[in-house]
Amino acid sequence: MEKSSCIHFCFISCLVLFIVVGSWYRSTNSSLPNSTLQTPWSTSKNRIFSNSKASSVLETQAQTSIDHSAEAPHHPLDPLTVQEINKVRTILSSYEPFSFTFPTIHTVQLDEPDKVKVLKWSKGDALLPRKAQVLALLNGQSHVLTVDLDSSSITSHAINSSSGYPMLSVDDILAASKVPFSNAEFNKSIAARGVPSSDLICLPPSAGWFGPNEEGKRVVKVLCYSKESTPNFYMRPIEGLVMTVDLDTLEVLKFSDTGREIPIPKSTDTDYRYTAQTKEPQMERLNPISIEQPKGPSFRVEDGHIVKWANWVFHLKADHRAGLVISRVMVRDSENGELRDVMYKGFASEFFVPYMDLDESWYFKSYMDAGEYGLGMSALPLVPLNDCPRHSYYMNGIFATPDGNPFVQPNMICLFERYAGDISWRHSEGLLTDFQIREARPKVTLVARMAASVGNYDYIFDWEFQTDGLINVKVGLSGMLMVKGSPYHQAPNQDAMSGPLISENLIGVVHDHFVTFHLDMDIDGANNSFVNVNLVKERSLPGESPRKSYLKAKRKIAKTEKDAQIKLKLYDPSEFHMINPSKKSRLGNPTGYKIVPGGTAASLLDHDDPPQLRSAFTNNQE
């Protein structure tokens, strides 16, 4: 099957994806937003808490201010600059349909040029035409526009071109979180629970989708927590109190109050900040560890986005929705030194997080963390020395606010070299031969990292490049559980609960994290095929061998997208290869990579269950 635009892989919680090369092998900078640009959060919400004095010292060094206002693009895939986003806003402001009311901007991003044109482009060529794609909301309607920055014109405009709505903006979240305080039923319930309104924090998680009767409305559920005596309000839910809010009218469509008998969990020992820890950990002292690079890092970043390290070259940028996007990945051939294509583009396309509780205040919790909140929008500054080691290079994200102005997401991505004592390759001889060989080589890799704080959870993304041609993609999970208030102090019959009792009055509700990646492989060019290498048990013939059975690899090249859909089975194992059938190694094998899934799982929800209908991409693992 000649490769279409991309392939997708879906794994659960912590994903490790090894892309293994076949037959090929044997200047730091730091930044903060320019002072004239907007930021989406207040200064207090951007505060960094560190667990070492050294980190706070380096933090100042890592966030040296640079001026983004004069930057220009150098590569066809470079993200929109501050000047370009300002130009988009000017063009929209004079556009006749928006002349009376400027729309709420949800996304302004590069409308990437055609892939064929990008592949033909080389440094020194004239930059390809720059266009912006705008996703805006006006009078309850979604507007998708293409803005030609060279001609200062709008070349396409579609209204409600597809189902669904744009991701939540900062303004949406802030507006919805204020709605409860002007609702009489809510204030009455809060007073009855004895919670001062000054101690409340309300958040608007998405409402999911539960049938045609919800079409035509942009709604969220608003839940509230007590922040009394702790910043970790997630551990103090006001259980059973839920409001369904229309985001366009800010009207409360439904009020549910079912949990007044459930106490608010205590704040004792919930503060996770390092400065709040008063008890010494019950472990031996850990001495400081420092990895030195006396000559500095080995990688360099050219023109702001082109990363060069060892035998790798790739384009790296921040993205409003995906968080981190890797493009135009090439590796240098060890024999002739030529750069060879590996992947055109890779990024996390969606997170599906369904919770398994049927209560009125829980059934709807089936989040799409990328599509509903934006991984880039949720990425707060990385903490030097703790999130990223010394000698890291920091990259900012430049996005648009709801009013269309540019803002900087500072220190959103970091690049660093990793050495953790791992072995890249080794072999020893000497026991049975005259060769006395002790050969071992350390494993040094390059990591591109981004962390997104989506509500209570923090996702850590690592794209790790190895000198042997492997790419290792990891997603780590940190932060806090989303918990449910409970009347129990001791665990009752756990089979009757939606999860274990993890503390007094708190249940950790069972849930999944499905991570889906978009991988547009271009191994030695665009003519790529997906191969399912099925491992089949064969039985030996009578008298053929003392062995009774063995495994045989049977290759099946997918001819359609349907053929490439895979359900992983423990007792029907397969390997998955992406090959270029038109490119051969010196032995006659097609060049390619092996796609190796890490921790995987299948969704057990019924296919007609509303959350699963919305996330049907998790019906298969590939």
Side-chain angles (χ1 to χ4, degrees), residues 24-26 331-340 524:
W24 286 10
Y25 287 86
R26 243 301 314 131
V331 69
R332 196 170 299 281
D333 192 297
S334 62
E335 295 183 358
N336 58 29
E338 293 181 359
L339 285 172
R340 300 173 67 176
D524 277 336

Side-chain angles (χ1 to χ4, degrees), residues 58-206:
L58 191 65
E59 178 184 329
T60 303
Q61 299 172 356
Q63 296 186 358
T64 304
S65 178
I66 64 172
D67 185 1
H68 287 286
S69 61
E71 288 181 334
H74 299 278
H75 188 280
L77 298 178
D78 280 357
L80 296 178
T81 65
V82 167
Q83 290 182 340
E84 289 175 324
I85 293 175
N86 279 326
K87 188 172 184 179
V88 168
R89 192 185 193 285
T90 300
I91 295 169
L92 292 176
S93 298
S94 59
Y95 186 47
E96 185 176 354
F98 303 151
S99 57
F100 293 103
T101 305
F102 191 79
T104 299
I105 302 298
H106 287 259
T107 306
V108 177
Q109 63 184 8
L110 177 71
D111 185 11
E112 294 186 357
D114 181 74
K115 177 179 174 179
V116 174
K117 294 180 179 179
V118 174
L119 292 174
K120 291 180 178 179
W121 184 89
S122 297
K123 186 173 181 179
D125 295 346
L127 202 61
L128 297 176
R130 298 283 285 178
K131 298 180 181 180
Q133 185 184 73
V134 179
L135 183 56
L137 201 69
L138 181 64
N139 299 326
Q141 293 183 312
S142 299
H143 296 253
V144 181
L145 306 100
T146 302
V147 179
D148 189 315
L149 291 165
D150 296 327
S151 64
S152 299
S153 63
I154 293 175
T155 57
S156 70
H157 182 182
I159 301 176
N160 288 349
S161 57
S162 62
S163 61
Y165 290 96
M167 69 176 68
L168 298 176
S169 70
V170 175
D171 284 0
D172 288 333
I173 293 171
L174 294 177
S177 66
K178 295 176 182 177
V179 168
F181 299 95
S182 58
N183 181 274
E185 288 182 289
F186 172 82
N187 289 322
K188 182 179 178 180
S189 176
I190 288 299
R193 295 170 188 252
V195 182
S197 60
S198 59
D199 287 340
L200 289 177
I201 285 184
C202 296
L203 301 176
S206 62

Side-chain angles (χ1 to χ4, degrees), residues 273-301:
R273 292 174 295 180
Y274 183 82
T275 54
Q277 308 311 307
T278 58
K279 299 177 182 177
E280 288 293 327
Q282 299 301 307
M283 64 173 67
E284 294 292 327
R285 174 183 172 85
L286 293 178
N287 292 324
I289 297 176
S290 178
I291 304 298
E292 297 299 327
Q293 293 183 283
K295 295 184 179 181
S298 304
F299 66 87
R300 66 183 186 272
V301 180

Side-chain angles (χ1 to χ4, degrees), residues 241-259:
L241 187 58
V242 184
M243 280 151 290
T244 305
V245 175
D246 186 316
L247 277 174
D248 295 318
T249 65
L250 296 181
E251 174 189 0
V252 176
L253 302 177
K254 184 178 180 181
F255 179 85
S256 177
D257 186 9
T258 59

Side-chain angles (χ1 to χ4, degrees), residues 426-476:
R426 81 173 314 279
H427 182 66
S428 294
E429 288 284 359
L431 293 177
L432 302 176
T433 70
D434 294 334
F435 295 108
Q436 296 298 317
I437 298 175
R438 305 291 184 270
E439 193 76 19
R441 297 165 197 172
K443 183 176 181 179
V444 179
T445 61
L446 180 70
V447 177
R449 172 171 292 171
M450 190 276 296
S453 299
V454 187
N456 56 302
Y457 274 120
D458 289 55
Y459 298 108
I460 301 100
F461 298 83
D462 281 1
W463 285 74
E464 186 174 23
F465 296 82
Q466 301 182 188
T467 55
D468 57 4
L470 276 69
I471 304 174
N472 183 3
V473 185
K474 299 178 182 178
V475 181

Side-chain angles (χ1 to χ4, degrees), residues 533-602:
V533 184
N534 191 219
L535 302 179
V536 180
K537 182 175 73 173
E538 301 276 357
R539 296 194 63 83
S540 59
L541 297 175
E544 181 181 16
S545 170
R547 291 278 301 273
K548 299 296 184 182
S549 61
Y550 62 100
L551 296 183
K552 191 175 184 65
K554 296 189 176 181
R555 298 159 54 89
K556 179 182 178 183
I557 297 178
K559 296 180 179 180
T560 66
E561 294 288 340
K562 184 72 174 177
D563 290 343
Q565 292 180 359
I566 301 295
K567 283 183 169 62
L568 297 177
K569 300 175 183 178
L570 183 62
Y571 289 100
D572 185 16
S574 289
E575 287 187 353
F576 310 108
H577 298 179
M578 288 296 296
I579 66 167
N580 188 327
S582 60
K583 300 289 183 179
K584 306 289 185 179
S585 73
R586 67 177 184 272
L587 301 178
N589 295 317
T591 60
Y593 270 71
K594 180 169 71 173
I595 311 295
V596 183
T600 63

Side-chain angles (χ1 to χ4, degrees), residues 9-80:
F9 302 89
C10 180
F11 308 123
I12 187 171
S13 190
C14 185
L15 173 146
V16 181
L17 173 65
F18 290 97
I19 308 179
V20 187
V21 67
S23 70
W24 286 10
Y25 287 86
R26 243 301 314 131
S27 109
T28 64
N29 190 10
S30 308
S31 49
L32 255 189
N34 182 272
S35 59
T36 61
L37 302 176
Q38 296 189 24
T39 57
W41 307 104
S42 67
T43 302
S44 62
K45 290 187 178 180
N46 272 333
R47 187 173 299 131
I48 297 176
F49 295 98
S50 169
N51 65 357
S52 70
K53 292 182 178 178
S55 179
S56 62
V57 172
L58 191 65
E59 178 184 329
T60 303
Q61 299 172 356
Q63 296 186 358
T64 304
S65 178
I66 64 172
D67 185 1
H68 287 286
S69 61
E71 288 181 334
H74 299 278
H75 188 280
L77 298 178
D78 280 357
L80 296 178

